[in-house]
Amino acid sequence: MKRNLLSIEDITRTDLDRIIEFSAELKQQRGQMTYTPLLGKSIGMIFAKSSTRTRISFEVGIRELGGNPLYLEQSKMQVGRGESVADTAKVLSRYLHGIVIRTYKHEDVIDLAENGSIPVINALTDAFHPCQVLTDLFTIYEFSRKLDGIKLVFVGDAQCNMANSLILGAKLAGIELVISSPEEFKPSDKIINAPFGTGSAHWEPDPLKAVESADYIYTDVWVSMGCEDEAEYRLKVFRPYQVNSKLLDAAPEARIMHCLPAHRGEEITDAAVDSPRSIVFDQAENRLHVQKAILSLIFEEINKQ
Ligand code: CP
Ligand code: NVA
């Protein structure tokens, strides 16, 4: 596994298979506290945006692996008032053993990784959310016992971080991904056409057509963090893409996924989130096990050096 996890493109199919296998083991062995690859290591967690799942699952996971997590609010650091990302990376590399970062510009995360000498894990940027998608692939594997050939349908904002990472994740895992969104929020050509993995991704504007014979239907908020100024317009334009009973009736076998937080009544109805077909809380739980597997695989390599 590479030292940095900035995007799904940093992961090979072999890495993915190892992450899935190891996440299952860590999930089964939770509470034993005998495996401590992070013993003596301090991991900085820089957050510029809100978080419930990512922050808490990383903090708990780092502790369970024997490490010391430090929650760092980006706005309270000097980088929030003009110190360069590159200088910050050099300084943090003298104190910490790894960085988990959630911020706005993806370029800042690349800058941090390139200028520091410690692993950097992307915990969400405006462009990508790789830890969530690796968790989603693990969760699909748990329910279907396979990834290759699964039909996954994403409905909603096809230009957001989740859609971008799901496209790459589906390609990596051999999944057939259909993305349904309004024309003006179509997936980026660069990502949908990226030559990567064995799966496929294509765009279908009609959500009812898109979900036909789906194994999984996935959605995310219509107003991602940083897009609040466009909220009124987005809530209107995405309305036909709501995950509701009508959409679910068109895909009777499909399980329902959401990275959460859900904005109930907007992108998804109460009936859909709370349906027996919903696996959204399994996804949330799995963030912990999968991030522990990612950290373990990265630090096992480093501990060998
Ligand atoms: N899914 C996810 O990343 O949730 P948080 O924003 O709560 O971390
Ligand atoms: N697209 C959402 C994901 C939240 C986990 C956002 O960026 O706000």
Side-chain angles (χ1 to χ4, degrees):
M1 188 123 164
K2 279 168 83 170
R3 186 186 79 177
N4 300 311
L5 171 55
L6 309 188
S7 157
I8 293 287
E9 284 173 301
D10 291 320
I11 300 286
T12 64
R13 180 63 202 237
T14 309
D15 292 334
L16 174 64
D17 292 342
R18 288 174 72 207
I19 291 169
I20 289 176
E21 198 182 328
F22 205 31
S23 301
E25 250 176 72
L26 290 168
K27 185 168 182 172
Q28 213 184 8
Q29 291 164 10
R30 181 148 191 238
Q32 292 182 12
M33 303 288 283
T34 47
Y35 174 67
T36 52
L38 294 187
L39 199 65
K41 303 212 186 284
S42 293
I43 311 293
M45 298 173 39
I46 304 174
F47 277 67
K49 291 175 173 174
S50 305
S51 173
T52 297
R53 281 143 288 270
T54 310
R55 176 187 172 178
I56 298 167
S57 57
F58 262 113
E59 202 160 328
V60 170
I62 291 165
R63 276 188 216 286
E64 289 187 0
L65 295 172
N68 170 36
L70 282 90
Y71 179 72
L72 306 164
E73 252 179 88
Q74 188 170 302
S75 62
K76 299 285 180 343
M77 294 171 67
Q78 296 290 9
V79 73
R81 50 185 298 279
E83 186 170 20
S84 76
V85 173
D87 286 351
T88 305
K90 291 184 181 106
V91 172
L92 294 183
S93 297
R94 303 285 178 116
Y95 306 133
L96 300 169
H97 302 92
I99 297 174
V100 170
I101 177 164
R102 166 169 288 198
T103 193
Y104 292 87
K105 287 197 283 180
H106 190 69
E107 294 67 31
D108 284 349
V109 176
I110 296 174
D111 214 6
L112 192 69
E114 283 178 353
N115 286 284
S117 54
I118 54 177
V120 173
I121 297 178
N122 175 3
L124 181 146
T125 60
D126 290 345
F128 297 113
H129 197 1
C131 293
Q132 177 69 53
V133 167
L134 291 170
T135 303
D136 299 334
L137 295 175
F138 172 67
T139 310
I140 291 173
Y141 186 82
E142 270 194 319
F143 280 90
S144 297
R145 304 318 297 172
K146 64 172 192 173
L147 292 172
D148 291 274
I150 290 291
K151 179 173 174 183
L152 169 65
V153 180
F154 179 86
V155 190
D157 178 3
Q159 293 177 352
C160 77
N161 41 23
M162 275 308 306
N164 289 341
S165 286
L166 275 173
I167 292 171
L168 296 172
K171 288 185 181 215
L172 177 68
I175 285 176
E176 180 200 337
L177 176 68
V178 179
I179 304 211
S180 194
S181 71
E183 169 111 40
E184 67 186 289
F185 288 94
K186 267 174 90 158
S188 108
D189 284 340
K190 191 168 161 234
I191 294 175
I192 206 157
N193 296 327
F196 182 64
T198 54
S200 63
H202 82 264
W203 177 68
E204 165 55 61
D206 178 350
L208 283 170
K209 216 162 135 194
V211 300
E212 273 171 22
S213 71
D215 297 305
Y216 294 88
I217 296 175
Y218 201 121
T219 193
D220 182 17
V221 291
W222 290 337
V223 184
S224 283
M225 293 179 278
C227 300
E228 289 79 6
D229 290 353
E230 301 166 14
E232 200 184 326
Y233 179 66
R234 284 172 167 263
L235 294 185
K236 209 162 53 199
V237 81
F238 286 118
R239 195 77 207 165
Y241 295 85
Q242 186 185 59
V243 174
N244 53 28
S245 302
K246 187 173 168 212
L247 196 75
L248 296 182
D249 287 348
E253 301 298 321
R255 293 191 172 94
I256 302 152
M257 300 181 77
H258 193 310
C259 54
L260 302 180
H263 286 194
R264 290 168 178 253
E266 294 180 12
E267 77 279 0
I268 192 162
T269 57
D270 284 332
V273 184
D274 299 328
S275 137
R277 289 158 63 186
S278 164
I279 57 169
V280 304
F281 298 110
D282 298 287
Q283 289 174 262
E285 176 190 335
N286 285 338
R287 294 295 301 277
L288 172 67
H289 312 302
V290 173
Q291 285 157 195
K292 282 173 72 180
I294 293 167
L295 286 163
S296 302
L297 293 171
I298 291 175
F299 280 92
E300 271 186 5
E301 296 280 325
I302 289 173
N303 292 345
K304 271 191 236 155
Q305 286 157 18

